[in-house]
Amino acid sequence: FLTSKEQFHAYLRARGQPGDQPGTEGEEEKEDEEEKEEEVDGCPNEPPAKRVRSEDLGQDRESQEDAGVEEKEPVEQKRARGQNKSRPCMKPNHYEQSRLCPSVTQGCAEKCYFGPRCRFLHDVGEYMASKPADLGHSCVLFETFGKCIYGVTCRFAQAHLGDGYRNVVNVDLAKQWEGKSPVRNNLSKDLQHQLRKRKFSFKKADEYLRGLAKPHGGGGKGGEATGSSTEEPEVSNCTTPQEGLVDGLKCPVPPEQGEDPKPDALQSPGPVGGQEASSTKTVGPVTDEDTIKLRSCEKRKLDIQGKLYLAPLTTCGNLPFRRICKRFGADVTCGEMAVCTNLLQGQSSEWALLKRHHTEDVFGVQLEGAFPDTMTKCAELLNQTIEVDFVDINVGCPIDLVYKKGGGCALMTRSNKFEQIVRGMNSVLDVPLTVKIRTGVQEKINVAHKIIPKIREWGASMVTLHGRSREQRYTRGADWDYIAECAKIASPMPLFGNGDILSYEDANRAMQTGVSGIMIARQVPVGALIKPWLFTEIKEQRHWDISSGERFEILRDFTNYGLEHWGSDTQGVEKTRKFLLEWLSFLCRYIPVGLLEHLPQKINERPPYYLGRDYLETLMASQNVDDWIKISELLLGPVPTNFTFLPKHKANSYR
């Protein structure tokens, strides 16, 4: 199955026809011209790692002259890594020149808010004359819910349009979904208005933050726990020894940090707090909930021992992808990392990361922040407004944008702020609080074993440890020996291990280290994005030689879920395409089990060029962006004019 780069791309250009033999002189000259053009543009035509690997194996390597040219170019020796920060971005208004006013789609054109100033079309006939051709004969929204809310703007509208462009409704199917919503945790307009006008009440968070200011005269260190020993007997008596240890024996918050808060109406007026208390208006009688704080022993327990946990994946860990993983056996899912300051500002794009599908039975959200005030307020906001089973703090993000602001991995070096964040969020949440960390910041200096006992003391219910440092990012192997040491130190608090899980054999070795469970993530490369069926392999303890047709059906399901989630109009179709292409940048790294010389596939191995068992399998193995676009066109129709795409990570493609 091994081949050369030229034969590989010639095979794809010929669409796998055996009569078209690759490697002719004309094709080679054309490819040489393309390579020269790419070199002029400063874009290497393939990753250095792949080039070196193919040369080592001696499979149809290029001529010595070409190799000499490559040696003279030091730019190509630099490894492609990091984000493509200046990548092109097509905005939604580029997809359609003439868009129909939403008021017309919703059947209330006479109530258009903008009136004569509206810049969208109100004439359906005029819109239909310029609308792009439909992409298919069946609409997934119409077939699933009995009604497509996008009406004439749907790119599959022929499935549900009647005479006079009337939107047809399947009454029986629509009644089944009446009053039900498949997706929860939506941002309401009223809540968004409160957040933007800063009218949302953060009563518990404000109480805790006022307590942080008090230790200044008592010699406290940056809001560190002072006097927490006086509270320990009270809490330890309310639980059995096992429960008390799991939730942390020393997790209660000291009185000055907001423990057992009293209602503002009953507080004794102080020189500072009196004015704040008097400004708070109380409504109705005082109940036990107002005067008695929920203790850690009374909180809902997070029972996910031994379960498969899909990690929060930025960009690719969206709701449609989580539905795919859930179908293949993921037990626990988590939303993408959300920035707490954006949530507090009511940004719709950030709140979209918190959405939960009704099939996600154990679901959590992950927050990123650097300061106790914003993180505590955000935790209280989510505690009151959305349905989650746990909240996770991201202390493992290695990217500079987050790290330089004091968030992500930087919190591991800011222990005082880290403690204030964990204690504060734990004091306002009714659900368990978890923390995701790395081994440390520097490559050879591990500090997780020192931090984990403190996290247990501060009140966290679980810790997830990624077996790499920030400097390692997602390169090299995860240190599972160190994860095993930390699992013993964390006991009896559950500790999940994360890193380098790509087969059921990897998962079995990970579980033998003594961790409570494993988190399956994605990075360079990591299991779930390369093999979403990995959850099935682990549960059934087998290697699945999945065919290209089965993999293509997974992509088809993803596009259907994407159209449900992002919409079936032009904007929704192109957003689905964008996330499909991002996922394909990882999927192309999968090597079919039937082609491997030895099992299982190693997580950091990049294969040489190879031909699959059929054309589709070969197409899915291509790392060329143009080939990914071909796959998307098989599912979502032709791309718009001047369409461009570049993956988010530089190492994911060579064009």
Side-chain angles (χ1 to χ4, degrees):
F1 294 99
L2 293 177
T3 185
S4 66
K5 173 190 168 185
E6 291 79 9
Q7 291 175 332
F8 179 87
H9 290 297
Y11 176 83
L12 291 179
R13 282 197 301 270
R15 297 191 60 83
Q17 298 299 325
D20 297 327
Q21 294 296 329
T24 62
E25 294 182 2
E27 289 176 348
E28 289 180 358
E29 290 176 1
K30 185 177 180 181
E31 285 180 358
D32 290 340
E33 291 177 2
E34 291 178 356
E35 290 175 8
K36 289 177 181 177
E37 291 177 1
E38 289 168 0
E39 289 171 4
V40 170
D41 294 337
C43 178
N45 50 349
E46 63 176 290
K50 176 180 281 291
R51 183 174 60 252
V52 172
R53 177 66 176 162
S54 60
E55 288 175 0
D56 291 343
L57 293 175
Q59 298 295 329
D60 297 318
R61 54 177 173 261
E62 298 178 356
S63 63
Q64 295 297 326
E65 290 79 10
D66 292 339
V69 171
E70 290 177 358
E71 289 176 1
K72 295 177 183 178
E73 297 181 356
V75 177
E76 292 200 4
Q77 300 300 322
K78 185 177 180 181
R79 185 173 182 180
R81 61 188 301 179
Q83 285 186 324
N84 281 312
K85 298 181 180 178
S86 59
R87 61 183 186 150
C89 178
M90 287 192 68
K91 296 183 178 179
N93 57 2
H94 294 171
Y95 298 133
E96 285 182 306
Q97 298 298 326
S98 302
R99 300 178 64 185
L100 192 65
C101 180
S103 63
V104 179
T105 309
Q106 298 165 7
C108 52
E110 65 281 356
K111 297 181 181 179
C112 179
Y113 177 79
F114 296 99
R117 296 182 293 110
C118 183
R119 59 188 178 91
F120 297 122
L121 296 177
H122 288 75
D123 186 350
V124 177
E126 183 182 353
Y127 170 76
M128 294 298 291
S130 60
K131 179 189 173 185
D134 281 356
L135 302 176
H137 300 283
S138 62
C139 174
V140 64
L141 289 174
F142 180 71
E143 293 180 352
T144 305
F145 305 107
K147 179 182 179 180
C148 178
I149 60 174
Y150 296 94
V152 295
T153 62
C154 175
R155 295 298 302 275
F156 308 86
Q158 57 183 309
H160 50 78
L161 281 188
D163 297 335
Y165 304 121
R166 181 178 56 86
N167 199 21
V168 178
V169 178
N170 185 337
V171 179
D172 295 334
L173 187 56
K175 280 185 178 179
Q176 298 178 15
W177 287 96
E178 191 174 355
K180 300 177 183 178
S181 176
V183 178
R184 289 172 278 179
N185 299 347
N186 294 299
L187 175 64
S188 65
K189 289 295 181 183
D190 182 47
L191 176 59
Q192 187 179 45
H193 180 77
Q194 290 183 47
L195 293 172
R196 288 178 174 177
K197 299 297 182 181
R198 299 187 179 181
K199 294 182 179 179
F200 190 88
S201 174
F202 298 100
K203 182 179 177 181
K204 293 182 180 179
D206 290 339
E207 193 75 31
Y208 171 79
L209 294 172
R210 281 198 295 269
L212 287 182
K214 292 181 181 179
H216 286 300
K221 194 175 182 180
E224 240 179 278
T226 55
S228 59
S229 59
T230 60
E231 300 268 343
E232 287 176 17
E234 179 185 348
V235 176
S236 60
N237 290 337
C238 74
T239 62
T240 61
Q242 291 80 5
E243 289 178 343
L245 286 172
V246 171
D247 291 328
L249 287 173
K250 300 180 182 179
C251 61
V253 182
E256 61 268 21
Q257 292 186 351
E259 178 71 24
D260 295 330
K262 299 178 181 179
D264 293 343
L266 299 179
Q267 287 183 357
S268 58
V272 178
Q275 297 176 1
E276 295 179 1
S278 62
S279 63
T280 305
K281 297 181 180 179
T282 58
V283 179
V286 178
T287 64
D288 288 345
E289 293 181 359
D290 297 319
T291 58
I292 301 175
K293 178 178 167 56
L294 190 68
R295 294 174 292 185
S296 60
C297 58
E298 299 170 330
K299 284 188 177 183
R300 193 191 318 166
K301 296 293 185 291
L302 185 62
D303 184 19
I304 58 174
Q305 185 92 7
K307 293 186 177 180
L308 297 179
Y309 183 175
L310 174 65
L313 308 171
T314 306
T315 304
C316 293
N318 44 65
L319 187 143
F321 176 76
R322 297 199 304 270
R323 289 182 64 181
I324 294 288
C325 293
K326 192 68 186 174
R327 200 184 71 190
F328 281 113
D331 299 311
V332 184
T333 55
C334 187
E336 301 175 59
M337 180 189 77
V339 181
C340 64
T341 51
N342 295 343
L343 294 175
L344 291 172
Q345 293 169 4
Q347 291 186 14
S348 301
S349 58
E350 207 72 20
W351 276 83
L353 306 178
L354 310 180
K355 290 185 178 180
R356 172 184 189 174
H357 196 261
H358 68 88
T359 58
E360 298 179 274
D361 47 354
V362 183
F363 175 76
V365 296
Q366 187 182 69
L367 298 180
E368 182 278 320
F371 302 99
D373 55 344
T374 53
M375 290 290 278
T376 306
K377 287 182 178 180
C378 189
E380 183 176 5
L381 170 66
L382 301 187
N383 192 62
Q384 296 183 35
T385 56
I386 66 173
E387 298 178 25
V388 290
D389 298 296
F390 63 93
V391 175
D392 186 66
I393 305 175
N394 188 332
V395 194
C397 183
I399 64 173
D400 294 338
L401 182 66
V402 173
Y403 182 81
K404 290 180 179 179
K405 292 182 179 180
C409 284
L411 282 177
M412 298 184 72
T413 62
R414 304 168 68 224
S415 58
N416 288 345
K417 293 297 181 186
F418 192 7
E419 177 182 2
Q420 292 169 5
I421 288 172
V422 175
R423 288 190 183 275
M425 294 180 69
N426 195 45
S427 68
V428 300
L429 285 172
D430 297 333
V431 295
L433 178 68
T434 65
V435 181
K436 186 173 187 292
I437 62 174
R438 284 179 175 255
T439 58
V441 176
Q442 296 175 321
E443 184 173 348
K444 296 182 180 180
I445 304 179
N446 295 332
V447 297
H449 63 283
K450 300 178 182 178
I451 297 176
I452 287 174
K454 296 180 181 179
I455 295 175
R456 181 183 60 207
E457 176 185 335
W458 299 337
S461 299
M462 190 188 82
V463 169
T464 303
L465 177 60
H466 185 175
R468 295 181 178 91
S469 65
R470 177 185 180 261
E471 285 186 354
Q472 287 178 291
R473 300 293 289 259
Y474 304 105
T475 59
R476 304 188 184 178
D479 190 350
W480 278 94
D481 292 333
Y482 183 67
I483 293 177
E485 295 177 16
C486 291
K488 296 176 183 177
I489 295 172
S491 181
M493 179 182 66
L495 184 142
F496 271 53
N498 172 224
D500 297 356
I501 306 294
L502 193 58
S503 67
Y504 77 89
E505 295 168 348
D506 295 334
N508 293 343
R509 282 193 292 270
M511 290 301 297
Q512 291 172 4
T513 61
V515 296
S516 302
I518 54 175
M519 174 185 279
I520 298 175
R522 59 113 184 241
Q523 303 286 2
V524 185
V526 177
L529 285 179
I530 297 175
K531 291 170 58 176
W533 55 91
L534 174 60
F535 300 99
T536 301
E537 289 189 353
I538 293 174
K539 290 190 172 182
E540 298 181 1
Q541 294 289 292
R542 67 183 177 97
H543 292 292
W544 185 358
D545 188 9
I546 188 169
S547 67
S548 58
E550 291 173 309
R551 291 163 63 192
F552 188 76
E553 287 304 313
I554 294 173
L555 297 178
R556 189 187 302 279
D557 291 338
F558 176 84
T559 57
N560 289 338
Y561 295 158
L563 294 173
E564 278 185 38
H565 185 56
W566 292 301
S568 59
D569 59 346
T570 300
Q571 186 173 340
V573 167
E574 295 311 317
K575 184 170 285 190
T576 302
R577 190 193 305 275
K578 184 190 79 169
F579 286 107
L580 173 64
L581 292 171
E582 290 285 0
W583 186 22
L584 285 171
S585 72
F586 288 92
L587 276 176
C588 66
R589 303 183 186 186
Y590 171 72
I591 308 172
V593 171
L595 304 185
L596 289 173
E597 294 181 358
H598 58 83
L599 293 172
Q601 176 184 351
K602 296 300 181 182
I603 200 149
N604 286 321
E605 284 183 350
R606 290 268 187 130
Y609 285 97
Y610 67 91
L611 296 179
R613 291 166 289 190
D614 55 42
Y615 170 74
L616 187 57
E617 191 168 80
T618 308
L619 184 65
M620 289 180 173
S622 174
Q623 296 191 37
N624 190 321
V625 174
D626 295 335
D627 293 326
W628 305 341
I629 294 175
K630 285 181 187 176
I631 297 175
S632 76
E633 290 181 324
L634 295 175
L635 296 163
L636 294 169
V639 297
T641 308
N642 299 326
F643 178 83
T644 57
F645 174 77
L646 194 64
K648 193 172 184 179
H649 199 277
K650 290 179 182 177
N652 282 13
S653 174
Y654 56 86
R655 286 188 65 182

